Amino acid sequence: MEFSRRQSLKLGLFASVAALGIGLAGCSTGAAGDSDSQGTQASADTFPVTVKHIYGETVVKAAPQRVATVSWVNDDVAIALGVIPVGMPKNEWGGNEQGSTPWKDAALEKAGAAIGSDKAPAMYSEADGINFTEIAKATPDIILAAYSGLTQEDYDKLSKIAPVIAFPKTAYGTSWQDSTTMIGAALGKSAAAKELITATEKTIAEQAAKYPQLAGKSFIYGNLEPGAAEAVSVFTSGDNRPKFLSSIGMVLAPVVVEAEKGVDAFYLPWSAEKANELDSQVFVSWVADEKAKEAIVKDPLLGQIPAVKKGAFVTDSDNTLTLSISASSPLSLPWTLDKFLPLLGAAADKA
């Protein structure tokens, strides 16, 4: 499952801390400082705590001091809560030269743990799946995977290293709010997690309000690729991309709401011959480049999608931007807003 999702990312199917009002204190490993400014010292959770997930329950006996993460999102959330991981994956799709992201770099630098420094987390590759060897080398006392695609086998193997927080229900279907809540509980920072969610949602609402034309507009978030085996894919409401558009006041198109009934998957393959049935006011898709966008518009089938035909078509060829939405977190979303909302607003004006 982990590998499958990663391949989907590469195919385009994955497709500022200050703004949050959450302080970060510096530390090399474990909790990032003891400052009351995070709202965690006086209201730290009492241990042991129990976190429920798809593979049962994980009992965390004491406040974790050495945190390792897998997949995406989990490291962002830990850092936003003031905990610097001892080990985390490289962002090998959508990341920068040092295997990180702009929002993560800014947060780590603010915390005094910039990548390349003595206090930086160890980073390991997940190009071939979960890196059990490197995770074990980090000697964590907890492994965060609230947003992931862990199989039962993965979970069992990781559990031999340290207690694991797996995803609650659907692989890669955990909302950033639920990831934050689960990770906050596991780290003994439930109050800080609640504050972080509130601050992030406030930032999203304030920025979205600058684009009133988005409110109530129907959308489809998909992937269009003329000539591919699956030329059309449509993301379901359980995926982070539609969740993001819904959070800014847009509405998932009825055709997708109907098609996803009874489906437990983050996307639906759609027949190119029926592309004209994908009726929405705005359509969003990852594309490789401007040439790819032109090919979609000119395609005899994909070009008949109503929003594409009207020009209410948002294309994203920035893998880092795609990652910030598809693997959204309290760190990535504020970064996303300045870049993505103007594109959506321009498309909504043509709807």
Side-chain angles (χ1 to χ4, degrees), residues 35-325:
S35 172
D36 284 339
S37 66
Q38 293 183 70
T40 59
Q41 183 71 9
S43 57
D45 299 341
T46 301
F47 285 89
V49 298
T50 301
V51 181
K52 296 181 180 180
H53 50 74
I54 191 169
Y55 300 123
E57 297 180 347
T58 295
V59 177
V60 186
K61 296 179 180 179
Q65 299 301 309
R66 297 182 62 80
V67 175
T69 70
V70 302
S71 188
W72 307 274
V73 179
N74 305 292
D75 51 355
D76 281 10
V77 173
I79 294 167
L81 289 174
V83 175
I84 307 304
V86 293
M88 64 184 188
K90 297 177 182 177
N91 291 107
E92 292 170 294
W93 195 96
N96 53 30
E97 292 180 354
Q98 52 192 14
S100 183
T101 58
W103 54 90
K104 191 150 48 189
D105 285 345
L108 287 172
E109 185 174 352
K110 186 178 181 70
I115 293 173
S117 71
D118 292 340
K119 295 182 179 181
M123 299 178 72
Y124 33 80
S125 173
E126 285 191 342
D128 296 319
I130 296 170
N131 199 323
F132 299 98
T133 301
E134 293 302 316
I135 292 172
K137 284 182 181 179
T139 62
D141 51 25
I142 195 167
I143 299 169
L144 303 178
Y147 178 89
S148 71
L150 292 187
T151 62
Q152 180 74 64
E153 182 181 359
D154 293 333
Y155 176 79
D156 292 343
K157 194 169 181 179
L158 284 173
S159 294
K160 293 178 181 178
I161 301 172
V164 181
I165 306 300
F167 58 90
K169 184 179 178 181
T170 304
Y172 302 106
T174 315
S175 68
W176 65 266
Q177 292 97 329
D178 286 346
S179 293
T180 302
T181 299
M182 293 175 72
I183 291 171
L187 299 180
K189 294 176 176 287
S190 294
K194 186 176 181 179
E195 180 184 354
L196 179 60
I197 291 169
T198 299
T200 306
E201 290 179 337
K202 181 180 179 182
T203 298
I204 293 170
E206 288 174 347
Q207 294 302 310
K210 298 177 182 179
Y211 297 87
Q213 67 269 46
L214 296 176
K217 287 290 193 301
S218 64
F219 73 87
I220 296 175
Y221 208 135
N223 189 76
L224 304 177
E225 190 173 355
E230 285 189 358
V232 184
S233 299
V234 175
F235 297 113
T236 63
S237 59
D239 184 81
N240 277 334
R241 283 154 284 206
K243 285 178 182 176
F244 171 71
L245 294 188
S246 295
S247 76
I248 61 173
M250 300 183 74
V251 180
L252 185 61
V255 65
V256 180
V257 174
E258 182 63 29
E260 72 176 14
K261 288 181 179 177
V263 175
D264 185 20
F266 70 92
Y267 80 99
L268 301 168
W270 194 276
S271 170
E273 284 72 21
K274 295 182 178 181
N276 64 314
E277 297 177 11
L278 290 172
D279 190 15
S280 65
Q281 290 173 290
V282 175
F283 196 106
V284 184
S285 176
W286 178 89
V287 297
D289 50 32
E290 189 63 27
K291 185 177 180 181
K293 177 181 179 179
E294 293 173 3
I296 292 168
V297 173
K298 294 178 181 178
D299 187 87
L301 297 176
L302 306 191
Q304 295 306 304
I305 295 173
V308 173
K309 205 170 183 178
K310 290 181 182 178
F313 182 33
V314 179
T315 55
D316 169 23
S317 58
D318 181 344
N319 291 350
T320 302
L321 179 57
T322 303
L323 180 67
S324 74
I325 302 167

